[in-house]
Short mmCIF file of all heavy atoms in Angstrom, two decimals:
data_model
loop_
_atom_site.label_atom_id
_atom_site.label_comp_id
_atom_site.label_asym_id
_atom_site.label_seq_id
_atom_site.Cartn_x
_atom_site.Cartn_y
_atom_site.Cartn_z
N PHE A 135 -10.42 3.40 17.70
CA PHE A 135 -11.52 2.60 18.24
C PHE A 135 -10.95 1.41 19.00
O PHE A 135 -10.23 0.59 18.43
CB PHE A 135 -12.43 2.12 17.12
CG PHE A 135 -13.16 3.22 16.41
CD1 PHE A 135 -12.66 3.76 15.24
CD2 PHE A 135 -14.35 3.71 16.92
CE1 PHE A 135 -13.33 4.78 14.59
CE2 PHE A 135 -15.03 4.73 16.27
CZ PHE A 135 -14.53 5.26 15.10
N GLY A 136 -11.27 1.33 20.29
CA GLY A 136 -10.75 0.28 21.13
C GLY A 136 -9.57 0.78 21.94
O GLY A 136 -8.43 0.70 21.49
N ILE A 137 -9.84 1.32 23.10
CA ILE A 137 -8.78 1.90 23.95
C ILE A 137 -8.31 0.89 24.98
O ILE A 137 -7.12 0.62 25.13
CB ILE A 137 -9.28 3.19 24.64
CG1 ILE A 137 -9.82 4.19 23.61
CG2 ILE A 137 -8.16 3.80 25.48
CD1 ILE A 137 -8.83 4.62 22.57
N ASN A 138 -9.27 0.37 25.74
CA ASN A 138 -8.99 -0.69 26.72
C ASN A 138 -7.91 -0.31 27.72
O ASN A 138 -7.08 -1.11 28.12
CB ASN A 138 -8.62 -1.99 26.00
CG ASN A 138 -8.69 -3.20 26.92
OD1 ASN A 138 -9.45 -3.22 27.89
ND2 ASN A 138 -7.88 -4.20 26.65
N GLY A 139 -7.87 0.98 28.10
CA GLY A 139 -6.96 1.42 29.15
C GLY A 139 -5.51 1.55 28.75
O GLY A 139 -4.64 1.74 29.61
N GLU A 140 -5.19 1.46 27.43
CA GLU A 140 -3.80 1.52 26.98
C GLU A 140 -3.71 2.46 25.79
O GLU A 140 -4.28 2.20 24.73
CB GLU A 140 -3.30 0.13 26.59
CG GLU A 140 -1.81 -0.10 26.76
CD GLU A 140 -0.96 0.62 25.71
OE1 GLU A 140 -1.42 0.79 24.56
OE2 GLU A 140 0.18 1.01 26.05
N SER A 141 -2.99 3.58 25.96
CA SER A 141 -2.95 4.61 24.92
C SER A 141 -1.54 5.02 24.54
O SER A 141 -1.28 6.17 24.21
CB SER A 141 -3.74 5.84 25.39
OG SER A 141 -5.11 5.55 25.51
N SER A 142 -0.61 4.07 24.54
CA SER A 142 0.75 4.41 24.13
C SER A 142 0.81 4.79 22.64
O SER A 142 1.60 5.65 22.24
CB SER A 142 1.71 3.26 24.41
OG SER A 142 1.33 2.09 23.69
N PHE A 143 -0.03 4.16 21.82
CA PHE A 143 -0.09 4.48 20.40
C PHE A 143 -0.53 5.93 20.20
O PHE A 143 0.12 6.71 19.50
CB PHE A 143 -1.06 3.52 19.72
CG PHE A 143 -1.36 3.84 18.28
CD1 PHE A 143 -0.43 3.58 17.28
CD2 PHE A 143 -2.59 4.39 17.92
CE1 PHE A 143 -0.71 3.87 15.95
CE2 PHE A 143 -2.88 4.68 16.59
CZ PHE A 143 -1.94 4.42 15.61
N GLU A 144 -1.60 6.30 20.85
CA GLU A 144 -2.12 7.65 20.72
C GLU A 144 -1.15 8.68 21.30
O GLU A 144 -0.96 9.77 20.75
CB GLU A 144 -3.48 7.75 21.40
CG GLU A 144 -4.57 6.90 20.78
CD GLU A 144 -4.54 5.43 21.18
OE1 GLU A 144 -3.73 5.06 22.05
OE2 GLU A 144 -5.33 4.65 20.63
N ALA A 145 -0.53 8.32 22.43
CA ALA A 145 0.40 9.25 23.08
C ALA A 145 1.61 9.55 22.20
O ALA A 145 2.06 10.70 22.12
CB ALA A 145 0.86 8.67 24.43
N GLU A 146 2.13 8.53 21.51
CA GLU A 146 3.29 8.78 20.66
C GLU A 146 2.91 9.61 19.44
O GLU A 146 3.70 10.45 18.99
CB GLU A 146 3.94 7.47 20.22
CG GLU A 146 5.22 7.71 19.43
CD GLU A 146 6.07 6.46 19.24
OE1 GLU A 146 5.79 5.44 19.89
OE2 GLU A 146 7.02 6.53 18.44
N ILE A 147 1.73 9.39 18.90
CA ILE A 147 1.29 10.22 17.78
C ILE A 147 1.21 11.68 18.21
O ILE A 147 1.66 12.59 17.49
CB ILE A 147 -0.07 9.74 17.24
CG1 ILE A 147 0.09 8.41 16.49
CG2 ILE A 147 -0.69 10.79 16.31
CD1 ILE A 147 -1.19 7.85 15.94
N LEU A 148 0.67 11.94 19.38
CA LEU A 148 0.60 13.31 19.88
C LEU A 148 2.00 13.89 20.07
O LEU A 148 2.25 15.06 19.75
CB LEU A 148 -0.16 13.34 21.21
CG LEU A 148 -1.65 13.03 21.14
CD1 LEU A 148 -2.22 12.87 22.55
CD2 LEU A 148 -2.41 14.11 20.37
N ASN A 149 2.91 13.08 20.59
CA ASN A 149 4.27 13.55 20.84
C ASN A 149 5.04 13.82 19.56
O ASN A 149 5.90 14.71 19.51
CB ASN A 149 5.01 12.51 21.69
CG ASN A 149 6.43 12.95 22.03
OD1 ASN A 149 6.64 13.99 22.61
ND2 ASN A 149 7.40 12.13 21.65
N ARG A 150 4.73 13.06 18.50
CA ARG A 150 5.51 13.14 17.26
C ARG A 150 4.92 14.09 16.22
O ARG A 150 5.52 14.30 15.17
CB ARG A 150 5.61 11.74 16.66
CG ARG A 150 6.34 10.71 17.55
CD ARG A 150 7.81 10.69 17.26
NE ARG A 150 8.06 10.39 15.86
CZ ARG A 150 8.09 9.15 15.34
NH1 ARG A 150 7.87 8.10 16.12
NH2 ARG A 150 8.34 8.99 14.05
N THR A 151 3.73 14.61 16.47
CA THR A 151 3.10 15.51 15.51
C THR A 151 2.76 16.82 16.19
O THR A 151 2.65 16.90 17.42
CB THR A 151 1.82 14.89 14.92
OG1 THR A 151 0.85 14.71 15.96
CG2 THR A 151 2.11 13.55 14.26
N ASN A 152 2.57 17.84 15.37
CA ASN A 152 2.31 19.18 15.92
C ASN A 152 0.85 19.58 15.91
O ASN A 152 0.45 20.46 16.68
CB ASN A 152 3.13 20.22 15.14
CG ASN A 152 4.62 20.03 15.31
OD1 ASN A 152 5.10 19.77 16.42
ND2 ASN A 152 5.37 20.13 14.22
N HIS A 153 0.06 18.96 15.05
CA HIS A 153 -1.33 19.40 14.92
C HIS A 153 -2.35 18.27 14.97
O HIS A 153 -3.55 18.55 15.00
CB HIS A 153 -1.51 20.15 13.59
CG HIS A 153 -0.55 21.29 13.41
ND1 HIS A 153 -0.63 22.45 14.14
CD2 HIS A 153 0.52 21.43 12.57
CE1 HIS A 153 0.34 23.28 13.77
NE2 HIS A 153 1.06 22.67 12.83
N CYS A 154 -1.91 17.01 14.98
CA CYS A 154 -2.87 15.91 14.97
C CYS A 154 -3.74 15.92 16.23
O CYS A 154 -3.23 16.08 17.34
CB CYS A 154 -2.15 14.57 14.86
SG CYS A 154 -1.43 14.23 13.25
N GLU A 155 -5.04 15.73 16.02
CA GLU A 155 -5.97 15.55 17.13
C GLU A 155 -6.57 14.15 17.02
O GLU A 155 -6.75 13.62 15.92
CB GLU A 155 -7.06 16.61 17.10
CG GLU A 155 -6.53 18.01 17.32
CD GLU A 155 -7.63 19.04 17.58
OE1 GLU A 155 -8.69 18.65 18.11
OE2 GLU A 155 -7.42 20.23 17.26
N ILE A 156 -6.86 13.56 18.17
CA ILE A 156 -7.29 12.17 18.22
C ILE A 156 -8.68 12.06 18.82
O ILE A 156 -8.94 12.58 19.90
CB ILE A 156 -6.30 11.31 19.03
CG1 ILE A 156 -4.89 11.40 18.41
CG2 ILE A 156 -6.77 9.86 19.08
CD1 ILE A 156 -3.83 10.62 19.16
N TRP A 157 -9.55 11.36 18.10
CA TRP A 157 -10.88 11.04 18.59
C TRP A 157 -10.89 9.57 18.98
O TRP A 157 -10.64 8.70 18.14
CB TRP A 157 -11.92 11.32 17.50
CG TRP A 157 -12.34 12.76 17.42
CD1 TRP A 157 -13.50 13.31 17.90
CD2 TRP A 157 -11.60 13.84 16.85
NE1 TRP A 157 -13.52 14.66 17.66
CE2 TRP A 157 -12.37 15.02 17.01
CE3 TRP A 157 -10.36 13.93 16.22
CZ2 TRP A 157 -11.92 16.26 16.57
CZ3 TRP A 157 -9.92 15.17 15.77
CH2 TRP A 157 -10.70 16.32 15.95
N GLY A 158 -11.15 9.29 20.26
CA GLY A 158 -11.13 7.93 20.76
C GLY A 158 -12.50 7.45 21.18
O GLY A 158 -13.29 8.23 21.73
N TYR A 159 -12.78 6.14 20.93
CA TYR A 159 -14.09 5.57 21.24
C TYR A 159 -13.92 4.19 21.85
O TYR A 159 -13.20 3.34 21.31
CB TYR A 159 -14.93 5.47 19.97
CG TYR A 159 -15.20 6.81 19.32
CD1 TYR A 159 -14.35 7.31 18.32
CD2 TYR A 159 -16.29 7.59 19.71
CE1 TYR A 159 -14.59 8.54 17.73
CE2 TYR A 159 -16.54 8.82 19.12
CZ TYR A 159 -15.68 9.29 18.13
OH TYR A 159 -15.91 10.52 17.55
N ASP A 160 -14.59 3.97 22.97
CA ASP A 160 -14.58 2.65 23.62
C ASP A 160 -15.62 2.68 24.74
O ASP A 160 -15.49 3.45 25.69
CB ASP A 160 -13.19 2.34 24.19
CG ASP A 160 -13.06 0.89 24.65
OD1 ASP A 160 -14.08 0.30 25.05
OD2 ASP A 160 -11.94 0.37 24.61
N PHE A 161 -16.65 1.84 24.62
CA PHE A 161 -17.72 1.85 25.64
C PHE A 161 -17.34 1.08 26.90
O PHE A 161 -18.06 1.12 27.89
CB PHE A 161 -19.02 1.28 25.06
CG PHE A 161 -18.95 -0.17 24.66
CD1 PHE A 161 -19.10 -1.19 25.59
CD2 PHE A 161 -18.74 -0.52 23.33
CE1 PHE A 161 -19.04 -2.52 25.22
CE2 PHE A 161 -18.68 -1.85 22.95
CZ PHE A 161 -18.83 -2.85 23.90
N SER A 162 -16.17 0.39 26.87
CA SER A 162 -15.78 -0.41 28.03
C SER A 162 -14.93 0.37 29.04
O SER A 162 -14.65 -0.13 30.13
CB SER A 162 -15.01 -1.65 27.57
OG SER A 162 -13.74 -1.32 27.06
N VAL A 163 -14.51 1.60 28.68
CA VAL A 163 -13.70 2.43 29.59
C VAL A 163 -14.26 3.85 29.57
O VAL A 163 -15.14 4.18 28.77
CB VAL A 163 -12.21 2.44 29.18
CG1 VAL A 163 -11.59 1.05 29.33
CG2 VAL A 163 -12.03 2.93 27.75
N ASN A 164 -13.73 4.68 30.44
CA ASN A 164 -14.25 6.04 30.58
C ASN A 164 -13.33 7.12 30.01
O ASN A 164 -13.70 8.30 30.02
CB ASN A 164 -14.52 6.36 32.06
CG ASN A 164 -15.59 5.47 32.65
OD1 ASN A 164 -16.61 5.22 32.01
ND2 ASN A 164 -15.35 4.96 33.86
N SER A 165 -12.15 6.71 29.53
CA SER A 165 -11.21 7.72 29.04
C SER A 165 -10.08 7.04 28.29
O SER A 165 -9.99 5.80 28.25
CB SER A 165 -10.63 8.53 30.20
OG SER A 165 -9.80 7.70 31.02
N PHE A 166 -9.19 7.84 27.72
CA PHE A 166 -7.94 7.31 27.19
C PHE A 166 -7.13 6.74 28.34
O PHE A 166 -7.39 6.99 29.52
CB PHE A 166 -7.14 8.43 26.51
CG PHE A 166 -7.66 8.81 25.15
CD1 PHE A 166 -8.39 9.97 24.97
CD2 PHE A 166 -7.39 8.01 24.04
CE1 PHE A 166 -8.85 10.33 23.72
CE2 PHE A 166 -7.84 8.36 22.79
CZ PHE A 166 -8.59 9.53 22.62
N GLY A 167 -6.08 5.98 28.01
CA GLY A 167 -5.22 5.42 29.03
C GLY A 167 -4.32 6.45 29.66
O GLY A 167 -4.25 7.61 29.20
N PRO A 168 -3.58 6.08 30.69
CA PRO A 168 -2.76 7.03 31.45
C PRO A 168 -1.54 7.54 30.68
O PRO A 168 -0.88 8.46 31.15
CB PRO A 168 -2.33 6.21 32.68
CG PRO A 168 -2.37 4.78 32.21
CD PRO A 168 -3.52 4.71 31.26
N GLU A 169 -1.26 6.99 29.52
CA GLU A 169 -0.09 7.41 28.77
C GLU A 169 -0.23 8.81 28.17
O GLU A 169 0.76 9.46 27.84
CB GLU A 169 0.21 6.41 27.64
CG GLU A 169 0.63 5.03 28.10
CD GLU A 169 -0.56 4.14 28.48
OE1 GLU A 169 -1.72 4.60 28.30
OE2 GLU A 169 -0.34 3.03 28.94
N ILE A 170 -1.45 9.28 28.02
CA ILE A 170 -1.67 10.61 27.45
C ILE A 170 -1.22 11.67 28.46
O ILE A 170 -1.76 11.76 29.56
CB ILE A 170 -3.15 10.84 27.11
CG1 ILE A 170 -3.66 9.77 26.15
CG2 ILE A 170 -3.35 12.24 26.52
CD1 ILE A 170 -3.06 9.80 24.79
N PRO A 171 -0.21 12.50 28.13
CA PRO A 171 0.25 13.52 29.08
C PRO A 171 -0.78 14.64 29.23
O PRO A 171 -1.53 14.95 28.29
CB PRO A 171 1.54 14.03 28.44
CG PRO A 171 1.38 13.77 26.98
CD PRO A 171 0.56 12.51 26.88
#
Side-chain angles (χ1 to χ4, degrees):
F135 294 95
I137 305 301
N138 195 28
E140 209 287 328
S141 293
S142 61
F143 172 75
E144 296 80 6
E146 185 167 349
I147 288 179
L148 292 171
N149 182 57
R150 298 270 302 277
T151 64
N152 295 317
H153 306 290
C154 288
E155 296 192 28
I156 302 178
W157 277 258
Y159 299 92
D160 191 331
F161 64 83
S162 70
V163 294
N164 297 317
S165 67
F166 284 103
E169 294 82 4
I170 303 293

